[in-house]
Amino acid sequence: MADTIVIFGASGDLTSRKLVPALFRLFVKGRWPEGSRIVGVSRSEFKHEEWRDSLRTMTEKFGGEHFTAEAWDKFAENIFYQAGDIKNQDDFKALAEFLKTVESDASAGRVYYLSTMPQLYEEAIQQLGKAGLADDTNGYRRVIIEKPFGTDLATAQALNCSIHSVFREDQIYRIDHYLGKETVQNIFALRFANSIFEPIWNRNYVDHVQITVAEEVVIGRRAGYYDTSGILRDMFQNHLLQLMMITAMEPPARYDAALVRDEKVKVLHSVRKMLGSDFANNTMRGQYEGYLREEGVPKNSQTETFAVLKLYCDNWRWKGVPFFLRSGKGMSCRTTQIVVQFKNVPHILFGEKTRTPVGNRLVIQVQPAEGIQLHFETKVPDSEMKTRTSTMDFSFQQAGGAELPDAYQRLLLDAMNGDASLFARSDEVELAWGIIDPIIAAWKSPAAPSLFPYPTGLWGPSEATPWMAEQHREWFDVC
Ligand code: BG6
């Protein structure tokens, strides 16, 4: 069945760098439903040919080794452009007419991708409704919404409410591109396709979990967005909490969108609310040196570019096990990793009695060195019973097989196939804001923890090390 992807925000960066190259790769792999088309919508006036040409250049650059002129020409036959302003109802009527002319089949399904400025999401949805474009009597109608989904709980609730007046929840696909990463999906396989980890994946054996998303990059030219957002909204409300949910969730009865998301949501319900001094004791924030000199950043900005949260899930599996969530810009390297640190042995029989064994740890490398390492203690050869930490190392790259696809490939295909397992549900997004909002509020209050400056190229503020020592733990700072 040939379907249509309508991209609002067609002239934007995301469309040319990520969305179209991902769709092209699906086409090359033979997974793009035959004859399906892309219709780009934005205010600029382009002829179809002009838009195709600009996409060709970017796809050649970002489409990987799959690019060939022949494949592109075939793919581009089904790329169209329709100028339109989200604020103009007539433009939506014109779009509805245009779609009829390019869709050969009256029952073609449609995915509307909102890749516009977030301030326009609500209006775009309402306009789609008014123009009859949400009516799914003849073919499916789905809408993909990029992050950020609201800027706090109240705005997310209002947005959900507005969208629900036009689309049913099963038509709504809220994107978190971390869920499209192959290594994040592999956490499901690691946990639920093996019986060796699950029995010890709980408070009886796990000492703590560290989830780190470190980025070497700084904010670049994104000050306008970033300074009003900060790292809690930009990374924690979505990506870090998603990683935590997948690490902490119970096995669903089946791998099915509703059941998977039910289990994830239960994790958020169990996150202990911070009260009083918790905000100062269980959170840290930092700002990289030079942030205030970035173009567009107010000279007195208190926006954080680094944060740590210590969260607890008060449920049977995790009660008492801290989850340390940490993310920063301007860090020493780009790495996303989940460290499950198991408890020490109850009694050290041999080795140096003063040395705490540091093995007993599973490291899930989400990116860029995608893989999993198990760190465990082994005997130092030709010694008395001395031990050292050794590693069993699985790397996706060395294991061979297909290259790891870009997150958008998976997510776009899932949306076309109607599989919402890897998209956030309305309650999930709202609960996540419910965790983040009080911290943002506390950080604005007089009792806010200090905003530690840190030089770029390290692991955030130096204060993070003694802070972790006070928790009787150590950061796993390995690139
Ligand atoms: C985005 C954030 O959602 O994720 C960016 O807005 C961040 O600030 C990016 O750089 C990180 O994504 P990835 O896939 O490069 O880890």
Side-chain angles (χ1 to χ4, degrees), residues 18 146-147 176-178 181 213-215 217-218 222 225-226 234-235 238-239 329 334 336 367 407:
K18 291 283 183 188
E146 262 297 329
K147 77 167 260 271
D176 183 312
H177 77 281
Y178 266 58
K181 292 184 192 282
V213 181
E215 293 187 280
V217 292
V218 289
R222 296 171 77 207
Y225 155 73
Y226 198 88
D234 188 45
M235 299 295 289
N238 35 68
H239 310 324
K329 299 261 185 222
R334 173 172 181 254
T336 297
Q367 63 185 19

Side-chain angles (χ1 to χ4, degrees), residues 7-12 40-46 51 81-85:
I7 305 178
F8 293 94
S11 55
V41 182
S42 64
R43 279 186 307 178
S44 327
E45 292 289 342
F46 287 123
W51 194 49
Y81 184 82
Q82 169 79 5
D85 182 349

Side-chain angles (χ1 to χ4, degrees), residues 322-357:
F323 282 74
F324 296 99
L325 274 49
R326 173 175 64 153
S327 183
K329 299 261 185 222
M331 304 276 279
S332 67
C333 64
R334 173 172 181 254
T335 179
T336 297
Q337 52 196 17
I338 300 170
V339 177
V340 180
Q341 178 67 58
F342 293 95
K343 289 185 174 172
N344 279 330
V345 292
H347 171 59
I348 299 174
L349 281 186
F350 34 66
E352 297 152 66
K353 295 283 189 289
T354 50
R355 175 175 176 267
T356 310

Side-chain angles (χ1 to χ4, degrees), residues 85 96 138 194 240 247 269 293 314 322 415 422 449 459 479:
D85 182 349
N138 292 323
N194 295 295
L240 278 104
T247 307
H269 276 297
R293 292 193 297 278
D314 285 342
L422 299 174
W459 286 89
C479 282

Side-chain angles (χ1 to χ4, degrees), residues 53-240:
D53 286 349
S54 73
L55 293 176
R56 181 195 163 114
T57 315
M58 295 298 269
T59 305
E60 193 165 359
K61 194 162 164 197
F62 295 105
E65 71 261 27
H66 297 291
F67 191 90
T68 63
E70 202 189 346
W72 174 262
D73 289 345
K74 184 118 194 38
F75 178 66
E77 282 169 12
N78 286 318
I79 297 182
F80 305 95
Y81 184 82
Q82 169 79 5
D85 182 349
I86 285 177
K87 300 198 167 155
N88 186 344
Q89 211 176 331
D90 288 340
D91 287 353
F92 277 80
K93 286 188 193 143
L95 174 65
E97 288 309 310
F98 179 71
L99 288 171
K100 281 188 207 152
T101 65
V102 290
E103 285 170 346
S104 42
D105 177 354
S107 60
R110 282 187 207 144
V111 174
Y112 303 112
Y113 199 118
L114 300 190
S115 166
T116 62
M117 290 194 308
Q119 299 88 303
L120 295 174
Y121 292 166
E122 203 168 328
E123 178 129 34
I125 297 278
Q126 292 303 324
Q127 297 277 24
L128 285 169
K130 282 188 210 140
L133 288 165
D135 179 355
D136 61 352
T137 323
N138 292 323
Y140 74 74
R141 301 289 180 261
R142 299 181 190 131
V143 58
I144 304 185
I145 303 169
E146 262 297 329
K147 77 167 260 271
F149 194 89
T151 51
D152 57 16
L153 176 58
T155 51
Q157 280 171 331
L159 186 54
N160 271 331
C161 195
S162 171
I163 303 175
H164 285 148
S165 69
V166 177
F167 289 98
R168 296 182 312 274
E169 180 62 26
D170 65 282
Q171 296 175 286
I172 308 169
Y173 290 68
R174 296 173 194 77
I175 263 206
D176 183 312
H177 77 281
Y178 266 58
L179 294 178
K181 292 184 192 282
E182 202 71 23
T183 44
V184 173
Q185 292 158 50
N186 188 53
I187 301 172
F188 288 103
L190 176 82
R191 292 194 53 201
F192 305 134
N194 295 295
S195 61
I196 50 177
F197 300 114
E198 206 45 29
I200 54 170
W201 205 264
N202 58 49
R203 62 191 299 276
N204 297 324
Y205 296 95
V206 175
D207 176 74
H208 73 275
V209 177
Q210 293 180 26
I211 301 179
T212 297
V213 181
E215 293 187 280
E216 227 177 326
V217 292
V218 289
I219 63 154
R221 291 165 21 155
R222 296 171 77 207
Y225 155 73
Y226 198 88
D227 197 64
T228 56
S229 167
I231 208 154
L232 282 190
R233 287 191 177 93
D234 188 45
M235 299 295 289
F236 283 72
Q237 187 273 342
N238 35 68
H239 310 324
L240 278 104

